[in-house]
């Protein structure tokens, strides 16, 4: 599960973060290091779709927050993913 | 590394850089960059320039136009047929010749080490030097006249250009692999023309003329050289098969030409999408 959009949304679901903080957080909880191009590609797409939004910046580091639509999208995707994970693990145990 | 990645970040569309440039640079300053980040930023810039919309609006139509143009060319241009003949050239020189030609790296061969062989590229050059003059302009002009070649083109094209066209239609290619006796080299002589039977007849004349001219040329060399060299030098030309009668047109068929056109169009469209990516991405910055 390395979809950068889902990883960014999952990171922002905990708290508002700027790019570098997201990158570190994602590496911590998912074990995936997103490159700067990949991260900002995801940020651009997510902001364009209205799933994240910039919040007040104190310097050049721009923090982002997840929007209501973003939460819904993340919830839906993680629920589906959870179903797949449960099914796969269950089948592995029964095999 | 940081300087390279920062430099590459300029490849992002200007509208994107206006919106995200400052924070993106801050991110680059905050972290330790790796080599793979170079490719990551390059790919990021590419995907920012080539959006789904630009793919649909620019790249696909360009691919369609490319394939249509290629198909139009394929159907409007008359088919070309290539008649082919294989000519084998046996080339042997004795050791004395080897010693005489110190500038040519030859290898001694044979049971008594009395025969040496030239490296293939030297043989190729020698054969090319012998055969190419056979297809000189005077001969081709006479052939065009005698065989009434290019009858349609002759009405609208000067003779000089017709000869150029004919020379471009003659193929002389050494065989890639040397099989069996390494003294023997094969050469593929071909002639391309719009009529398969004419292609065959012309190719037959070309090959025999090439062999005749080469033999005369070699004879001239021998007469001018010493008796020892005359006896030691042996280069035998043998026409392996008669000129073929081509059954199918040479080159790509219309499907392949259409595919080439499609690929060329897609590639051109991709370049176009990248070039105008800044404009097409302006909505990203505004959104």
């Amino acid at each position: 599960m390395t979809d950068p959009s889902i990883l960014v949304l999952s990171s922002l679901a905990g708290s508002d973060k700027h790019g570098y903080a997201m990158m570190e957080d994602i590496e911590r909880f998912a074990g995936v290091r997103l490159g700067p191009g990949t991260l900002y590609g995801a940020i651009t797409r997510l902001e364009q779709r209205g799933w994240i939004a910039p919040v007040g910046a104190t310097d050049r580091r721009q923090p982002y927050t997840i929007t209501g639509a973003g939460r819904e999208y993340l919830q839906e995707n993680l629920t589906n993913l959870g179903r797949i994970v449960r099914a796969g693990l269950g089948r592995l145990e029964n095999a | 590394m940081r300087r390279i990645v920062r430099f590459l970040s300029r490849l992002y569309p200007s509208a994107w850089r206006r919106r995200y440039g400052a924070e993106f640079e801050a991110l680059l300053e905050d972290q330790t960059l790796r080599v793979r980040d170079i490719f990551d930023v390059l790919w990021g810039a590419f995907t920012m320039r080539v959006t789904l919309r630009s793919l649909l609006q620019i790249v696909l139509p360009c691919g369609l136009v490319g394939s249509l143009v290629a198909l139009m060319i394929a159907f409007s241009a008359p088919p070309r047929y290539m008649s082919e003949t294989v000519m084998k050239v046996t080339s042997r020189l004795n050791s004395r010749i080897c010693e005489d030609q110190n500038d040519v790296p030859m290898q001694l061969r044979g049971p008594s080490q009395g025969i040496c062989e030239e490296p293939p590229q030297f043989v190729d050059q020698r054969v090319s030097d012998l055969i190419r003059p056979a297809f000189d302009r005077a001969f081709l002009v006479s052939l065009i006249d005698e065989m009434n070649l290019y009858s349609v083109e002759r009405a609208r094209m000067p003779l000089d250009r017709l000869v150029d066209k004919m020379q471009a239609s003659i193929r002389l290619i050494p065989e890639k692999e040397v099989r069996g006796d390494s003294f023997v080299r094969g050469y593929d002589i071909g002639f391309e023309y719009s009529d398969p039977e004419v292609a065959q007849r012309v190719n037959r004349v070309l090959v025999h003329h090439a062999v005749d001219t080469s033999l005369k040329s070699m004879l001239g060399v021998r007469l001018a050289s010493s008796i020892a060299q005359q006896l030691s030098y042996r280069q035998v030309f043998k026409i392996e098969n008669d000129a073929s009668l081509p059954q199918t047109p040479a080159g790509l068929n219309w499907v392949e030409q259409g595919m080439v056109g499609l690929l060329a169009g897609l590639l051109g469209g991709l370049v176009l999408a990248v070039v105008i990516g800044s404009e097409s991405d302006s909505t990203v910055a505004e959104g």
Side-chain angles (χ1 to χ4, degrees), chain B residues 93-106:
Chain B
L93 298 92
N94 78 357
S95 56
R96 180 168 177 160
I97 299 287
C98 290
E99 288 159 11
D100 287 349
Q101 299 183 15
N102 288 329
D103 55 326
V104 181
M106 298 187 184

Side-chain angles (χ1 to χ4, degrees), chain A residues 18-21 23 27 32-45 47-48 53-54 59-64, chain B residues 5 12 16 19-34 36-37 40-41 43-44 47-48 283-284 287:
Chain A
H18 55 69
Y20 182 61
M23 203 180 257
E27 190 163 9
V32 176
R33 182 189 178 273
L34 294 184
T38 306
L39 177 70
Y40 263 85
I43 289 175
T44 307
R45 282 191 301 275
E47 192 189 351
Q48 195 182 6
D59 56 8
R60 290 193 304 163
R61 291 169 186 78
Q62 173 64 61
Y64 288 88
Chain B
V5 175
Y12 278 83
W16 187 93
R19 167 61 185 84
Y20 296 100
E23 54 188 284
F24 190 66
E25 284 215 358
L27 173 70
L28 297 180
E29 284 166 14
D30 282 341
Q31 62 173 306
T32 309
L33 293 168
R34 307 170 193 183
R36 68 178 183 187
D37 290 330
D40 187 71
V41 170
W43 179 248
T47 53
M48 278 302 134
T283 50
V284 171

